[in-house]
């Protein structure tokens, strides 16, 4: 696989990283400290569009599986969805009013953003299973994706708070942050669209879906029946989906809580960018190490280690009030190291599930599976800020419409501390429990030529691991 293809695919992570980082980092404090919305209501504003995304994403995946565009089955959705995310992102932070009217505007903008992102994300997540012909290339693609997410989160997460401040804070500063996010998304969209243009498969993947036998039992339309059919037909994928959704909740909590942790626990609001950078930097420097360790010991086994680092680093955040200031970024470096491993192994396990399912069934359901997986990610990223909002509300957090957080009581500070330390650790433990049902894909048993000629179903080109090599252990 060419370097152009790998780099082009990795650039699409700018879209994923910006979408997951900026709303999670800025939207909750924007609602509570600039628009004057209560913390619980603000959490619901973040949650509802993501729930819509969860419902829409599997439909987008099924539509992508049946697409017949001139640019291939995925790249049209990548381009249209990504540019739609950029436009809607700017609208989300346009800030036409404060109070309930402003909250409704932000929610509507976020709803449009989530709608466009659903079509982008399922197409983007399905590409490795269709443009890579063996397990090693798939892992290399998702490794670049993890590194790309780190770059996007580092650039967007570290720069966005500075952009808000440079723009004057309040409504004006958030408008500039919205435009900045839109630019990052547009660059990532064009990068993945043009970078993968030479790697798009011919018509084999689409033919695999188009030629589903009428009596196969596979629903031919998108909807809950089709989703449940995919889940019933692949128990390992169902376990992966459950575990990944819960694991992502911890990431959502951490991103939403960073501004509050910096301001009300550390007493340094300007440290938000430093905390975010400490969380995402390990994605750039540890992905290659995680990849080598996972290839030797198995992805699922090493995922346990990454979750232990994630949970342990989060618990270290609880000690911030009695330790030097540098302790918090160090703890988040530990959390981020575990997070890098989580991302790499979950995405690699998804690609293996999709490729193995195609070999087993003789048709591509990568779009439907990546759609369900992306829906789970979206739900987890939404539930995290929602839980953080509930913790803030229950601990007595006072909202403001001045563009700056008001003075808070000790109860609010302890609520922020508990949310940042305990919730991510609990999500990591629960996610591992739910992943117990996932098992590595069994290598295909080679058939003799005579037997294969009479019994082996035709497998679409581009979906079988090259040379019949078994997939990498997970």
């Amino acid at each position: 696989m060419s370097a152009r293809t790998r780099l082009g695919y990795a650039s699409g992570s700018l879209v994923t990283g910006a979408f997951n980082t900026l709303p999670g980092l800025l939207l909750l404090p924007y609602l509570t400290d600039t628009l004057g919305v209560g913390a619980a209501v603000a959490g619901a504003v973040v949650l509802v569009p993501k729930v819509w995304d969860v419902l829409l994403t599997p439909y987008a995946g099924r539509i992508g599986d049946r697409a017949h565009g001139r640019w291939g089955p995925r790249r049209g959705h990548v381009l249209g969805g990504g540019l739609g995310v950029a436009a809607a992102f700017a609208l989300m932070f346009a800030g036409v009013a404060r109070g309930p009217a402003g909250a409704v505007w932000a929610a509507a903008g976020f709803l449009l953003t989530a709608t466009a992102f659903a079509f982008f994300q399922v197409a983007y997540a399905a590409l490795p299973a269709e443009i890579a012909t063996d397990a090693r290339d798939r892992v290399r693609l998702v490794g670049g994706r993890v590194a790309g997410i780190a770059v996007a989160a580092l650039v967007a997460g570290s720069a966005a708070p500075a952009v808000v401040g440079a723009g004057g804070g309040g409504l004006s500063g958030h408008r500039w942050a919205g435009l900045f996010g839109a630019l990052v998304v547009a660059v990532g969209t064009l990068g993945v669209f043009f970078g993968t243009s030479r790697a798009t498969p011919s018509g084999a993947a689409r033919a695999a879906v188009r030629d589903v036998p009428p009596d196969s039992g596979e629903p031919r339309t998108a909807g809950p029946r089709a989703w449940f059919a995919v889940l019933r037909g692949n128990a390992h994928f169902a376990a992966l989906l459950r575990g990944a959704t819960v694991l992502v909740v911890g990431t959502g909590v951490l991103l939403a809580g960073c501004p509050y942790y910096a301001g009300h626990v550390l007493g340094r609001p300007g440290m938000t960018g430093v905390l975010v950078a400490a969380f995402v930097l390990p994605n750039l420097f540890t992905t290659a190490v995680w990849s080598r360790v996972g290839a030797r010991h198995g992805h699922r086994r090493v995922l346990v280690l990454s979750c232990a680092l994630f949970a342990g680093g989060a618990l270290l955040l609880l000690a911030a009030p009695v330790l030097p200031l540098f302790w918090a970024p160090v703890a988040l470096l530990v959390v981020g190291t575990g997070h890098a491993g989580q991302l790499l192994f979950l995405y690699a396990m998804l690609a293996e599930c999709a490729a193995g399912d195609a070999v087993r069934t003789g048709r591509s359901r990568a779009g439907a599976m990546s759609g369900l997986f992306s829906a789970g990610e979206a739900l987890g990223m939404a539930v995290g800020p929602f839980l953080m909002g509930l913790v803030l509300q229950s601990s007595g957090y006072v909202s403001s419409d001045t563009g700056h957080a008001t003075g808070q009581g000790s109860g609010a500070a302890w609520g922020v501390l508990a949310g940042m330390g305990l919730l991510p650790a609990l999500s990591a433990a629960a996610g591992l429990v739910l992943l117990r049902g996932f098992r590595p894909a069994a290598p295909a048993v080679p058939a003799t030529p005579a037997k294969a000629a009479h019994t082996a179903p035709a497998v679409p080109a581009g979906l079988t691991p090259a040379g019949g090599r078994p997939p990498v252990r997970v």
Side-chain angles (χ1 to χ4, degrees), residues 2-23:
S2 69
R4 168 185 168 141
T5 299
R6 295 198 304 270
L7 181 60
Y9 183 76
S11 68
S13 294
L14 292 174
V15 183
T16 304
F19 178 80
N20 288 335
T21 302
L22 287 181

Side-chain angles (χ1 to χ4, degrees), residues 163-189:
V163 171
V164 173
L171 292 177
S172 175
H174 283 89
R175 291 190 190 107
W176 283 108
L179 293 173
F180 169 74
L183 177 62
V184 172
V185 168
V187 169
T189 298

Side-chain angles (χ1 to χ4, degrees), residues 80-456:
L83 294 181
V85 171
F89 207 98
L91 291 175
M92 178 170 50
F93 289 103
V96 297
R98 289 184 169 87
V104 170
W105 178 275
F110 197 18
L111 186 68
L112 291 174
T113 306
T115 301
F117 183 74
F119 286 92
F120 171 87
Q121 180 66 3
V122 295
Y124 179 62
L127 279 175
E130 298 188 349
I131 66 176
T133 57
D134 60 42
R136 178 173 296 180
D137 280 343
R138 285 192 294 271
V139 173
R140 292 175 74 183
L141 283 175
V142 297
R145 178 182 178 183
V146 171
I149 289 175
V151 171
L154 181 63
V155 172
S158 302
V163 171
V164 173
L171 292 177
S172 175
H174 283 89
R175 291 190 190 107
W176 283 108
L179 293 173
F180 169 74
L183 177 62
V184 172
V185 168
V187 169
T189 298
L190 296 176
V192 69
F193 179 76
F194 290 109
T196 61
S197 60
R198 297 178 184 174
T200 303
S202 57
R206 287 169 288 169
V209 178
R210 190 168 56 246
D211 296 336
V212 175
D215 59 345
S216 65
E218 183 73 17
R220 298 184 65 85
T221 58
R225 183 170 168 240
W227 311 339
F228 290 129
V230 173
L231 294 174
R232 284 196 306 268
N234 196 318
H236 302 313
F237 173 71
L240 176 63
L241 177 63
R242 291 192 298 267
T245 300
V246 174
L247 287 175
V248 171
V249 171
T251 303
V253 170
L254 285 167
L255 287 175
C258 270
Y260 300 101
Y261 189 82
H264 304 297
V265 175
L266 302 180
R268 301 288 183 89
M271 280 192 66
T272 299
V274 175
L275 297 180
V276 174
F279 177 60
V280 301
L281 268 176
N283 285 275
L284 290 175
F285 301 111
T286 65
T287 299
V289 176
W290 280 122
S291 182
R292 288 195 294 270
V293 175
R296 170 172 294 197
H297 299 287
H299 295 165
R300 185 174 177 272
R301 183 180 300 173
V302 183
L303 179 63
V304 176
L305 174 60
S306 66
C307 288
L309 287 175
F310 184 90
L315 292 175
L316 289 176
L317 293 172
L318 296 173
V322 296
L323 292 173
L325 191 63
F326 71 84
W327 185 259
V330 170
L332 281 169
L333 282 172
V334 176
V335 176
T337 300
H339 180 248
Q342 287 179 336
L343 286 180
L344 176 66
F345 300 132
L346 290 175
Y347 291 154
M349 290 154 72
L350 171 62
E352 283 300 313
C353 274
D357 184 77
V359 171
R360 182 174 60 86
T361 63
R363 58 182 175 269
S364 173
R365 299 193 296 184
M369 295 175 77
S370 66
L372 284 165
F373 191 88
S374 298
E377 283 188 301
L379 181 61
M381 289 297 294
V383 170
F386 178 68
L387 292 177
M388 195 68 196
L390 291 181
V391 170
L392 291 174
Q393 187 74 36
S394 63
S395 61
Y397 189 87
V398 180
S399 299
S400 168
D401 62 358
T402 64
H404 303 282
T406 60
Q408 306 291 336
S410 60
W414 283 108
V416 173
L417 189 65
M420 285 284 286
L422 296 179
L423 290 180
L426 291 174
S427 75
L432 282 179
V433 171
L434 294 174
L435 275 167
R436 288 184 303 175
F438 182 88
R439 292 293 182 271
V445 179
T448 63
K451 184 177 180 180
H454 289 89
T455 63

